[in-house]
């Protein structure tokens, strides 16, 4: 929306300056970065591969709930949860206690050598909480990318077909197969090829930009047409989709899109995989985001929030599909490590007891109430979207639909300097995303939103 001079002035004068937002959860006691962080950054530069970026110039020393304290004693308010990992809060006491108890009992055996109960318990919980009342089985792994790789292996084994369909703007990981399955070239793929074959990309529903708006069925038909043209259904092993795209820009597909793809896949013996590594485990206001779209995935990949901060991932699927794998066909040295399983059980226990899906839905309402009017107030805001505690703001050059990554980097620098841990996303880097721990208090969330709103007002006023 174009603003008149008067409304622009009104908007600005109504908004507190960033520096005037009271520091309650946050507490900055040195310049940012402080002297200890600066000294560590020199060593980082000398010893750490520069390919591993660090968005924040400060080094964490400890964390609790939604607050991260750096080595100089500055407190930061966490609106990223380590990329959707610490949903139950950082160093959640039950997770810490479970890890401590398990690690004194055993550190590792390898489940395929000497099994232990924790692994089976986590698989049972995965069966209970993932969508669909049919019989399910799981395999546990270490990272999201490893879960995606295994889901593709299982789908190929079950169908005997080669091709995997991915969605435009998808992110599935950084290993060779998952790089092939990821859209964005730089930084993820450039110079790292050749990539795994038999991966084909089809359009996703992107209501703001795809021309179909909220007509998800029409968007799905166009996508299916593409799959038939480029591959033909008889060669497709699986379609994999993030039910809310994460790195791609927190894109929520229009209603009917996923369901149409899912029904078409089932009509042709194609396995439907939901990658819920970022959107799963309560983040969107339901246990799994597929539940919003009337889809019961054949396979579902999870990681991140499952372990409450410890590395663990899973593929969970219909028993008849999982049963297609020959003994020894999936696994690995560390997958489902007993300490990570203990952390996962504690983390799932907190989600159940605290009803974190409801909490995530509440966070979504608070953010929407605060930010729902941003696109009418600021020309640079094209969209405020998301489900539950997975919310984002997409920025464009005023008066156009051209993505504006510059304003995003200015806003993000300003709020990070003011003590927020926050992330961007979007294929063009023009989206700010909010992924707070689900246990964040209303006061903490309010403080974070005040800082962000002030930064948007200050940066768009130029
Ligand atoms: N699938 C949907 O979101 C990880 C990536 C951060 P790993 N997203 C954060 C980065 O810069 O690498 C992700 C995801 C979805 C798969 C993955 C991969 O999960 O645990 O990072 O391998």
């Amino acid at each position: 929306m174009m603003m008149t001079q008067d409304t622009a002035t009104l908007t600005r004068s109504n908004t507190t300056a960033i520096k005037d937002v009271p520091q309650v959860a946050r507490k900055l006691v040195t310049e940012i970065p402080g002297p200890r962080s600066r000294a560590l950054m020199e060593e980082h530069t000398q010893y750490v591969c520069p390919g591993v970026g660090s968005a924040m110039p400060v080094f964490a020393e400890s964390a609790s709930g939604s607050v991260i304290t750096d080595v100089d004693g500055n407190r930061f308010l966490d609106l990223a949860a380590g990329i959707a990992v610490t949903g139950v809060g950082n160093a959640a006491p039950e997770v810490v206690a479970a890890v401590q108890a398990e690690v004194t009992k055993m550190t590792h055996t390898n489940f395929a050598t000497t099994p232990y109960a924790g692994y089976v318990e986590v698989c049972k919980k995965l069966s209970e909480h993932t969508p669909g009342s049919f019989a399910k089985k799981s395999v546990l792994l270490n990272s999201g990318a490893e879960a995606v790789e295994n889901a593709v292996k299982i789908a190929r084994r079950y169908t005997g077909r080669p091709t995997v369909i991915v969605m435009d703007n998808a992110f599935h990981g950084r290993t060779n197969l998952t790089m092939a399955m990821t859209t964005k070239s730089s930084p993820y793929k450039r110079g790292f090829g050749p990539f795994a074959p038999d991966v084909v990309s089809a359009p996703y529903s992107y209501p703001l930009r795809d021309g179909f708006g909220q007509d998800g069925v029409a968007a799905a038909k166009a996508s299916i047409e593409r799959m038939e043209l480029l591959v033909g259904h008889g060669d497709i092993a699986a379609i994999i989709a993030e039910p809310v795209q994460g790195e791609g820009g927190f894109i929520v597909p229009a209603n009917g899109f996923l369901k149409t793809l899912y029904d078409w896949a089932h009509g042709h013996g194609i396995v439907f995989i939901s990658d819920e590594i970022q959107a799963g485990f309560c983040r969107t206001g339901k246990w799994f985001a597929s539940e919003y779209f009337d889809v019961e995935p054949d396979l579902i990949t999870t990681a991140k929030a499952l372990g409450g901060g410890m590395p663990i991932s899973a593929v969970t699927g219909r028993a008849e599909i999982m049963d297609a794998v020959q003994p020894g066909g999936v696994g690995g040295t560390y997958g489902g490590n007993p300490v990570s399983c203990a952390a996962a059980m504690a983390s799932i226990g907190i989600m159940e007891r605290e009803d974190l899906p409801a909490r995530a839905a509440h966070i979504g309402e608070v953010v929407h109430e605060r930010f729902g009017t941003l696109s009418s107030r600021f020309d640079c805001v094209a969209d405020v979207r998301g489900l539950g505690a997975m919310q984002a703001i997409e920025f464009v050059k005023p008066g156009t639909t051209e993505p504006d990554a510059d304003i995003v980097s200015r806003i993000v620098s300003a709020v990070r300097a003011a003590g927020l841990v926050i992330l961007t996303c979007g294929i063009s880097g023009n989206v700010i995303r909010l992924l707070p721990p689900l246990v964040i208090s209303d006061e903490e969330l309010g403080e974070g939103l005040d800082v962000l709103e002030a930064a948007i007002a200050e940066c768009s006023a130029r």
Side-chain angles (χ1 to χ4, degrees):
M1 187 195 105
M2 297 301 290
M3 272 197 292
T4 63
Q5 190 55 45
D6 282 345
T7 51
T9 315
L10 188 70
T11 303
R12 279 206 299 281
S13 60
N14 270 349
T15 310
T16 318
I18 305 178
K19 62 175 177 30
D20 294 332
V21 179
Q23 295 186 9
V24 182
R26 299 165 301 145
K27 188 88 195 146
L28 302 183
V29 295
T30 70
E31 57 181 337
I32 304 295
R36 287 187 167 168
S37 280
R38 283 205 303 275
L40 280 165
M41 195 50 87
E42 278 176 25
E43 304 226 309
H44 183 310
T45 306
Q46 194 176 348
Y47 297 113
V48 179
C49 171
V52 189
S54 291
M56 303 277 295
V58 295
F59 282 72
E61 184 162 86
S62 63
S64 170
S66 305
V67 173
I68 298 176
T69 304
D70 79 0
V71 288
D72 293 289
N74 298 296
R75 286 204 320 257
F76 290 80
L77 180 57
D78 182 10
L79 297 183
I83 325 188
V85 170
T86 52
V88 297
N90 211 312
E94 288 98 320
V95 174
V96 172
V99 165
Q100 283 172 337
E102 187 62 30
V103 81
T104 57
K105 285 199 248 164
M106 60 178 160
T107 50
H108 173 79
T109 66
N110 176 271
F111 187 73
T113 309
T114 319
Y116 38 87
Y119 190 113
V120 184
E121 283 166 8
V122 173
C123 294
K124 193 173 170 198
K125 282 288 178 197
L126 283 161
S127 283
E128 282 167 23
H129 285 297
T130 50
S133 54
F134 40 81
K136 291 174 220 148
K137 294 185 181 179
S138 295
V139 53
L140 303 184
L141 305 140
N142 303 289
S143 66
E146 208 187 345
V148 171
E149 292 247 0
N150 277 276
V152 171
K153 274 169 69 172
I154 294 165
R156 283 178 169 155
R157 185 74 181 85
Y158 175 70
T159 58
R161 299 173 183 176
T163 305
V164 49
I165 301 284
V166 296
M167 298 286 117
D168 286 351
N169 297 339
F171 181 94
H172 294 295
R174 293 173 178 272
T175 57
N176 187 261
L177 174 60
T178 59
M179 268 195 295
M181 296 169 67
T182 290
T183 301
K184 193 173 176 176
S185 169
S186 187
Y188 304 127
K189 300 165 79 165
R190 186 160 296 159
F192 298 146
F195 302 111
D198 292 315
V199 174
V200 172
S201 184
Y204 197 63
S205 162
Y206 191 166
L208 178 69
R209 294 180 180 278
D210 69 3
F212 295 108
Q214 289 303 330
D215 190 348
V217 175
K221 284 186 176 153
S223 194
I224 289 166
E225 221 170 89
R226 193 91 192 135
M227 295 176 210
E228 288 287 21
L229 179 75
L230 297 181
V231 188
H233 58 256
D235 283 331
I236 302 174
I239 297 174
I240 181 165
E242 299 158 82
V244 178
Q245 287 192 324
E247 305 305 303
F250 279 28
I251 301 164
V252 184
N255 262 330
F257 178 78
L258 289 175
K259 176 74 171 135
T260 305
L261 289 194
Y262 177 74
D263 290 342
W264 180 77
H266 280 188
H268 294 290
I270 297 166
V271 173
F272 186 91
I273 308 172
S274 183
D275 180 346
E276 301 229 17
I277 286 164
Q278 192 157 162
F281 276 108
C282 313
R283 171 59 53 188
T284 64
K286 293 190 187 286
W287 275 88
F288 291 92
S290 339
E291 294 169 46
Y292 281 102
F293 303 107
D294 195 18
V295 160
E296 293 178 344
D298 302 310
L299 298 178
I300 184 160
T301 52
T302 55
K304 294 187 184 279
L306 166 61
M310 295 294 285
I312 184 166
S313 67
V315 182
T316 302
R318 291 178 191 266
E320 75 263 23
I321 299 179
M322 302 302 277
D323 285 345
V325 181
Q326 66 278 20
V330 295
T333 303
Y334 293 112
N337 166 277
V339 183
S340 290
C341 285
M345 287 306 288
S347 170
I348 293 169
I350 298 170
M351 295 177 199
E352 290 169 344
R353 197 191 62 226
E354 306 286 327
D355 192 5
L356 290 190
R359 185 67 208 152
H362 169 77
I363 291 170
E365 280 161 23
V366 172
V367 174
H368 245 267
E369 200 169 305
R370 284 291 302 272
F371 283 175
T373 57
L374 283 187
S375 51
S376 51
R377 286 174 52 205
F378 299 109
D379 284 359
C380 57
V381 173
D383 200 9
V384 179
R385 60 171 174 255
L387 285 176
M390 193 171 181
Q391 294 285 336
I393 309 169
E394 175 161 350
F395 290 84
V396 291
K397 302 230 163 82
T400 75
T401 55
E402 201 186 323
D404 191 353
D406 287 344
I407 193 167
V408 164
S409 64
R410 291 205 306 275
I411 294 168
V412 159
S413 306
V415 300
R416 285 176 180 161
L420 295 191
V421 178
I422 205 163
L423 293 168
T424 61
C425 62
I427 210 80
S428 310
N430 64 320
V431 180
I432 293 179
R433 59 172 148 174
L434 301 182
L435 283 169
L438 306 181
V439 296
I440 193 168
S441 70
D442 284 4
E443 294 70 31
E444 289 169 329
L445 183 59
E447 182 177 337
L449 297 178
D450 284 345
V451 173
L452 183 53
E453 185 174 15
I456 295 170
E458 284 176 27
C459 293
S460 64
R462 294 174 177 208

